[in-house]
Amino acid sequence: MRAVVVKGAGGIDVLGIGEIPDPEPAYDEVVIDVVAAGVNRADLLQRQGFYPPPPGAPGTIGLEVSGRIAAVGAEVEGWSVGDECCALLAGGGYAEKVVVPAPQVMPVPDGLDLVSAAALPEVVATVWSNIFMTAHLKAGETLLVHGGSSGIGTMAIQLGVAHGARVLTTVGTKEKMEFCTRLGADVAINYKDAEWASVVSEATKGEGADVILDIMGAKYLTDNVKSLAYDGRLVVIGMQGGAKGELDLGRLLSRRGSVIATGLRFRSVADKGRIIAEVVGHVWPLIAEQKVLPVVHSTFPLEEVAKAHETLERSTQLGKVLLTL
């Protein structure tokens, strides 16, 4: 089958198209004929040699796909050949076929086209597991989302609004501010033009945010802790701003705050299955009612994978970038 192959670690020039063996399902797995695959920042890190797949996972890049079931393992129930689906992967998505544990496979939400469904698995699983399952965001609380125009950011804004939270977000351009406001954010902050922590303090009358979803890591750690409300929860899911920072424990103690660092890719199949079950139960109805929708910035054919990675690296996109097969 055709797949994206990576010739060493490096820039977009190491990406190419090659032939790799077709996957075969184990007893508890399915094979999916891929229609579209999501492109994530984790994919860029893997290409650069910084984020290898977990043991036993396919070496091919790609953490989420949509498509049709092509084969079913002997003990898999509830799925048949030809069923349309989308799936959360540990790897392997940039290919014509991918094998995936059955608990990580989801139906396409009612009313959503199959290509757009590829924009959901990684994004929704990340947002739901962190903001709701881990940080327990409640109606009436304030949610601060860093990187609001990204795939994760656009979903976090929408789900926060749908659950009755007040949503603040940071972005890097006026266009992205306006876009996030249209999605439902109450306050959008251009971090290039203003000290975002000061704006958060002003917008919350000094009370701070109850939940902060952070992709920056070390660079934002001090200001994130300053921006926590009493009993606030800071959830760190990325390190775009570095891995090591200084934590003000005094401030954290005075706010009774929590700092939580999480990851999705290396979780067990059972853990991912629990997240997927909650996503289908809680988020899919919102998508069917069009209260929440994936935001797709652009799609590229598999052969233009380098352009897709370049788009993400420039950080000009609003929402998700997809590959189509």
Side-chain angles (χ1 to χ4, degrees), residues 275-306:
I275 293 168
I276 293 305
E278 287 217 12
V279 161
V280 172
H282 294 283
V283 182
W284 265 216
L286 296 174
I287 295 174
E289 296 169 12
Q290 297 192 337
K291 293 180 179 179
V292 171
L293 289 172
V295 177
V296 177
H297 175 78
S298 55
T299 62
F300 296 88
L302 189 69
E303 292 77 12
E304 295 182 10
V305 60

Side-chain angles (χ1 to χ4, degrees), residues 45-232:
L45 292 173
Q46 183 170 335
R47 184 202 75 215
Q48 294 161 0
F50 299 130
Y51 195 34
T60 308
I61 296 174
L63 298 176
E64 58 188 344
V65 298
S66 61
R68 298 177 180 88
I69 302 293
V72 178
E75 295 186 11
V76 172
E77 297 180 352
W79 292 105
S80 301
V81 172
D83 288 347
E84 294 189 345
C85 63
C86 56
L88 178 69
L89 315 173
Y94 291 12
E96 290 183 320
K97 296 177 184 290
V98 67
V99 64
V100 56
Q104 295 171 210
V105 183
M106 298 166 277
V108 175
D110 291 343
L112 193 67
D113 66 277
L114 189 54
V115 170
S116 296
L120 290 174
E122 177 76 11
V123 161
V124 181
T126 297
V127 171
W128 186 263
S129 64
N130 285 290
I131 292 179
F132 296 96
M133 296 176 72
T134 299
H136 305 291
L137 180 71
K138 297 183 286 293
E141 290 191 321
T142 297
L143 168 66
L144 171 60
V145 178
H146 290 300
S149 61
S150 67
I152 285 174
T154 54
M155 183 56 62
I157 290 169
Q158 292 181 84
L159 283 175
V161 171
H163 286 81
R166 185 183 187 214
V167 180
L168 286 63
T169 188
T170 61
V171 292
T173 69
K174 182 179 179 182
E175 178 191 15
K176 290 179 178 179
M177 291 173 65
E178 294 171 349
F179 179 76
C180 290
T181 301
R182 291 197 299 272
L183 279 180
D186 296 275
V187 179
I189 307 160
N190 186 343
Y191 63 82
K192 294 179 181 178
D193 291 341
E195 293 183 359
W196 63 262
S198 297
V199 180
V200 169
S201 179
E202 182 180 351
T204 61
K205 297 182 176 164
E207 292 185 1
D210 299 287
V211 175
I212 302 176
L213 186 67
D214 177 57
I215 58 172
M216 295 303 294
K219 184 177 180 180
Y220 278 10
L221 180 59
T222 297
D223 282 340
N224 275 330
V225 172
K226 286 181 181 177
S227 300
L228 282 175
Y230 287 104
D231 298 313

Side-chain angles (χ1 to χ4, degrees), residues 225 228 230-231 248-258:
V225 172
L228 282 175
Y230 287 104
D231 298 313
D248 185 344
L249 290 173
R251 175 72 179 188
L252 197 65
L253 284 166
S254 71
R255 288 274 162 166
R256 300 188 300 270
S258 303

